[in-house]
Amino acid sequence: MDVDRRTVLTLPLMAAFGGLVLSACAPTSQANGGLATVRWGVTALNGNWDPIVTGATGATITMTPIYESFLLRGADGSLSPALAEGYAYEPAGDAVTFTLKRGLTFHDGSAVDAAAAVAFIQRAQQQEGSALAGSYRNIVGVEALDEQRFRLALGQPDHQIPYLLSNRAGLLTKPVAAGDEAAQLNATLPVGAGPFRVVELVPEDRIVLERFDGYWNAAEIHVDRIEISGGNEDAMLVSGLRTSVFDFASISNLRIDEAEQAGLDVIEDLATNWVTSFVSLNLNQAPFDDPAVVEAVRYAIDRDAFVQNLTAGHGVAVHQPFPPGHVTFVDELEQEFTYDADRARDILADAGYADGDLSITIHPFTGGEVAAEILQAQLGEIGIAATIQVDANWGAGYFGKTYGIATYGYVGRDSHVQALTEHFDTGGVLNLSSPYTSQPFQDALAVVRATPLDDPAYGERLRAAAAAGYRNGSTIALYSSPNTWAKQPTISDSTETIEGRLGWTGVEVTEEG
């Protein structure tokens, strides 16, 4: 095999993520036999703990303590080793070989080897309901070369693959068959190779993690135990922190001011860890199979109303899936399809639609009823009658591509190309119109994939692909807001987070209080 360059990554002491030093009150350690414990409150636990199947990237935040990826990406875009020590592209850029570290195991003691990597990638491509199938579409072959090395053959040159495997899409699971056995990752105890192993999982209630001594970077994991508690009302998380029920909590933007007024510290950074809320249209279903209707909906949306009502001033209106400052953010897109209800009504009238001719059903993501109500009112202003249907099994309709219109949120990807393909490509988990994709997007996508990441033209080509995807796709972004955590004042040194990942390297718990 001809290889023109081998990339062997080096890891600084604190890895790709900064340390979060937690100074919990003394009762925390005493209550757990002296263990360094972090009590983490969330509104809802993951409904699915299999990183291949779950479509919610926000779930990555609570899965990364359990699973580890092949590589890690820092906030500056640099890659560093995790399960893999390096990778090498072949000269044409259409194949890449990864080399795993020796002697690593999953939590159950089974080997982390090339065979496990191959099984993971094949399951990601074949598992029914896989949320990663679209992301892996350019991988046309995978093989183990020996115990440490596995080779990926690509359908077209693609220099994004190391980033693709650096977080959510590369969270390696213990090998299981692409069938019913995979459901064990959801229903019982998830088995990964991350810094913490699962010792207890009570669906919808709690998951308890303990430090895994076999983790490749165990020397930098100082927390013994993480207890994640679900089923908490957002309004109660701040009081839970104030009364030391929790040390750490995931809170909504609506609670930021309350947390700060309570003397708590808040971690928020729109540039590095964010969520973009959006509307998805299904271009395969009436009335959205009519381009005039899609154009009218784009002009009908007043994004400022969503920001004012849903982010308590901590969000920003956007016309694309990325916040300002992101490398994929296209400035000129913010000037397109700006709110103009009169123009939207004229577009519908010119297409032959009178008020009341169009009726649709909006399917909001769990907890997104208020956003759906705002959308409903705005569409009503242009003569589209909308009803709201809250579905207990929303994921089946959204990821099954059966809805005509739905709302959702997105927290980024480590690969910029993956971020685009998820929204605009065939098989994209966020593309409600899949298998629809546009030729302008495909043309621009091929160009950016073939561009090395250090090429001066990379950014420009990436943004060209983003613009082509947005203009011809079915994702209508509403606003971006920061993913937010609150902590007790005794917790110092905020963690560095990046697009859906919360790292635990270097975290320490003391008995100060």
Side-chain angles (χ1 to χ4, degrees):
M1 177 177 60
D2 294 327
V3 176
D4 66 337
R5 179 177 60 186
R6 176 175 176 79
T7 305
V8 178
L9 305 168
T10 57
L11 181 72
L13 181 62
M14 292 301 291
F17 303 94
L20 168 68
V21 179
L22 305 182
S23 300
C25 293
T28 302
S29 295
Q30 293 173 0
N32 293 287
L35 295 178
T37 300
V38 174
R39 299 163 303 173
W40 182 355
V42 299
T43 54
L45 289 177
N46 299 344
N48 190 308
W49 293 91
D50 182 355
I52 285 177
V53 175
T54 181
T57 313
T60 304
I61 291 170
T62 48
M63 286 197 296
T64 47
I66 303 168
Y67 300 103
E68 182 65 300
S69 51
F70 294 95
L71 302 171
L72 296 176
R73 179 167 78 93
D76 62 356
S78 62
L79 291 171
S80 58
L83 299 179
E85 64 182 25
Y87 60 91
Y89 268 96
E90 295 178 25
D94 60 359
V96 57
T97 295
F98 286 80
T99 302
L100 297 170
K101 293 175 178 174
R102 292 184 181 276
L104 300 182
T105 69
F106 292 100
H107 299 151
D108 66 352
S110 58
V112 172
D113 56 15
V118 169
F120 170 78
I121 291 169
Q122 290 178 336
R123 187 167 74 86
Q125 294 176 315
Q126 300 167 9
Q127 175 76 35
E128 182 179 357
S130 170
L132 299 181
S135 299
Y136 277 67
R137 206 160 68 92
N138 196 35
I139 298 175
V140 296
V142 54
E143 61 177 328
L145 302 180
D146 53 36
E147 288 188 2
Q148 281 184 275
R149 297 182 303 145
F150 63 97
R151 178 180 182 270
L152 305 179
L154 309 175
Q156 59 184 260
D158 190 347
H159 293 276
Q160 292 277 320
I161 299 300
Y163 282 96
L164 181 67
L165 298 185
S166 68
N167 193 8
R168 178 181 176 276
L171 293 178
L172 183 65
T173 65
K174 176 188 174 182
V176 294
D180 292 342
E181 190 178 355
Q184 294 177 3
L185 293 166
N186 174 18
T188 57
L189 297 183
V191 178
F196 298 90
R197 62 185 182 91
V198 180
V199 296
E200 183 182 11
L201 172 57
V202 180
E204 301 181 8
D205 182 51
R206 65 185 180 277
I207 185 168
V208 180
L209 315 176
E210 289 187 354
R211 182 180 182 273
F212 174 49
D213 291 337
Y215 179 57
W216 69 271
N217 198 25
E220 292 299 325
I221 302 299
H222 309 303
V223 172
D224 297 307
R225 185 178 173 97
I226 299 177
E227 300 171 356
I228 309 177
S229 302
N232 301 290
E233 292 184 11
D234 183 49
M236 299 303 295
L237 287 170
V238 172
S239 63
L241 285 163
R242 236 181 5 240
T243 57
S244 296
V245 172
F246 303 121
D247 310 299
F248 191 70
S250 304
I251 64 171
S252 74
N253 295 162
L254 299 176
R255 304 300 166 193
I256 292 176
D257 294 343
E258 178 188 356
E260 291 177 339
Q261 291 168 5
L264 300 167
D265 295 333
V266 175
I267 304 167
E268 60 166 320
D269 187 352
L270 185 62
T272 61
N273 212 307
W274 41 270
V275 57
T276 296
S277 295
F278 59 88
V279 177
S280 283
L281 305 181
N282 192 329
L283 306 187
N284 304 309
Q285 294 186 18
F288 305 112
D289 56 351
D290 185 341
V293 175
V294 175
E295 184 181 18
V297 170
R298 287 180 183 265
Y299 281 113
I301 293 176
D302 179 4
R303 292 164 174 80
D304 290 338
F306 290 89
V307 173
Q308 293 166 5
N309 287 280
L310 299 174
T311 74
H314 294 277
V316 57
V318 293
H319 290 69
Q320 52 199 299
F322 312 99
H326 193 276
V327 66
T328 318
F329 189 82
V330 183
D331 289 337
E332 56 264 34
L333 289 181
E334 295 306 301
Q335 308 307 315
E336 299 182 10
F337 301 108
T338 55
Y339 173 58
D340 190 335
D342 290 337
R343 184 170 182 177
R345 282 191 292 270
D346 289 344
I347 291 170
L348 291 178
D350 290 344
Y353 297 103
D355 282 1
D357 284 353
L358 298 176
S359 59
I360 62 172
T361 300
I362 302 170
H363 300 271
F365 178 59
T366 303
E369 291 82 1
V370 175
E373 290 169 1
I374 297 171
L375 179 62
Q376 178 187 45
Q378 293 182 358
L379 293 179
E381 288 294 315
I382 67 167
I384 298 178
T387 58
I388 298 172
Q389 181 174 317
V390 178
D391 299 326
N393 193 12
W394 176 91
Y398 186 86
F399 301 120
K401 317 301 182 186
T402 61
Y403 291 154
I405 179 172
T407 63
Y408 199 24
Y410 156 81
V411 300
R413 298 290 190 274
D414 284 276
S415 160
H416 301 133
V417 163
Q418 184 198 14
L420 298 179
T421 58
E422 295 282 51
H423 284 281
F424 308 124
D425 200 3
T426 297
V429 69
L430 304 176
N431 180 9
L432 189 59
S433 298
S434 181
Y436 166 83
T437 187
S438 70
Q439 194 58 49
F441 173 68
Q442 289 299 319
D443 293 343
L445 181 65
V447 171
V448 72
R449 272 179 167 161
T451 304
L453 303 184
D454 57 359
D455 189 312
Y458 172 73
E460 180 182 351
R461 293 173 181 175
L462 178 69
R463 289 184 285 276
Y470 170 76
R471 289 172 177 145
N472 299 282
S474 55
T475 294
I476 302 177
L478 301 174
Y479 63 93
S480 292
S481 57
N483 274 321
T484 312
W485 297 273
K487 58 182 183 178
Q488 298 175 10
T490 49
I491 299 175
S492 61
D493 295 341
S494 65
T495 187
E496 184 177 0
T497 64
I498 181 72
E499 297 188 27
R501 181 179 179 107
L502 179 65
W504 292 93
T505 300
V507 173
E508 295 183 354
V509 179
T510 71
E511 294 190 1
E512 297 175 10

